[in-house]
Amino acid sequence: MATLVEAVRPNPAYVLDRLSNMLAANPEGLALYDGFADVSPRQRNTCRYLMTSPRAREIFLEWEEIARGAVAHLRAANADNLHDPGLQALVAELSEESALFEEWWSEHIVERRRTSIKHIRATDGDTIARRYEVLHLPEEGLRMTLWLPGTSEVP
């Protein structure tokens, strides 16, 4: 998967496990999550970032939809083992840090991400519409997200 993530450059791409931990990313994929490069690889969790980082609300213009979807996907990816200690620890941590996470988790929404178009605010302030595609590898509990070329636009 790491080779594939590098092969699609300059398009942002990354691989997540069932807990939304980023296991591999190309530099462009890592850059989508402002500040991830400065965080220990073990702490690079996209659900945590979306729910606790103020920067996430600035970068992803449809933040609520994306964050709510991340919570729903976390439940879907772990539906067969909601009592897993790693999942339970992450849910407890995020519930303590984010009232919205706790609320959304308690709604029991299950949704796997596939494809969508989202608007991203770049560091220079420009807004770019990008479509992403998600490749699921259920046997390994992994998924790769590939952000396709975008267009500059104002929503």
Side-chain angles (χ1 to χ4, degrees), residues 25-66:
N26 61 25
E28 297 82 2
L30 196 59
L32 278 177
Y33 295 86
D34 187 41
F36 256 28
D38 302 326
V39 175
S40 161
R42 291 180 175 218
Q43 292 299 310
R44 293 177 185 163
N45 181 287
T46 58
C47 196
R48 178 185 297 120
Y49 182 86
L50 288 165
M51 298 308 304
T52 64
S53 173
R55 183 74 177 114
R57 292 177 188 241
E58 296 172 21
I59 295 169
F60 300 104
L61 273 58
E62 295 95 351
W63 172 82
E64 184 172 340
E65 178 185 337
I66 292 170

Side-chain angles (χ1 to χ4, degrees), residues 32-142:
L32 278 177
Y33 295 86
D34 187 41
F36 256 28
D38 302 326
V39 175
S40 161
R42 291 180 175 218
Q43 292 299 310
R44 293 177 185 163
N45 181 287
T46 58
C47 196
R48 178 185 297 120
Y49 182 86
L50 288 165
M51 298 308 304
T52 64
S53 173
R55 183 74 177 114
R57 292 177 188 241
E58 296 172 21
I59 295 169
F60 300 104
L61 273 58
E62 295 95 351
W63 172 82
E64 184 172 340
E65 178 185 337
I66 292 170
R68 189 181 282 267
V71 174
H73 190 96
L74 183 64
R75 185 174 284 282
N78 293 279
D80 61 339
N81 193 3
L82 291 173
H83 301 292
D84 174 75
L87 174 65
Q88 297 248 326
L90 180 62
V91 168
E93 172 195 338
L94 294 180
S95 293
E96 186 175 309
E97 292 184 31
S98 170
L100 278 177
F101 176 87
E102 186 174 35
E103 176 187 330
W104 295 341
W105 184 258
S106 69
E107 291 175 357
H108 301 279
I109 297 170
V110 177
E111 173 189 344
R112 289 200 185 270
R113 293 185 167 180
R114 299 281 182 217
T115 185
S116 187
I117 296 174
K118 299 298 177 211
H119 297 85
I120 299 168
R121 182 170 293 122
T123 53
D124 63 6
D126 286 347
T127 299
I128 300 169
R130 292 195 89 132
R131 188 174 99 221
Y132 67 81
E133 298 285 342
V134 181
L135 170 64
H136 292 271
L137 300 171
E139 304 83 37
E140 289 84 18
L142 301 176

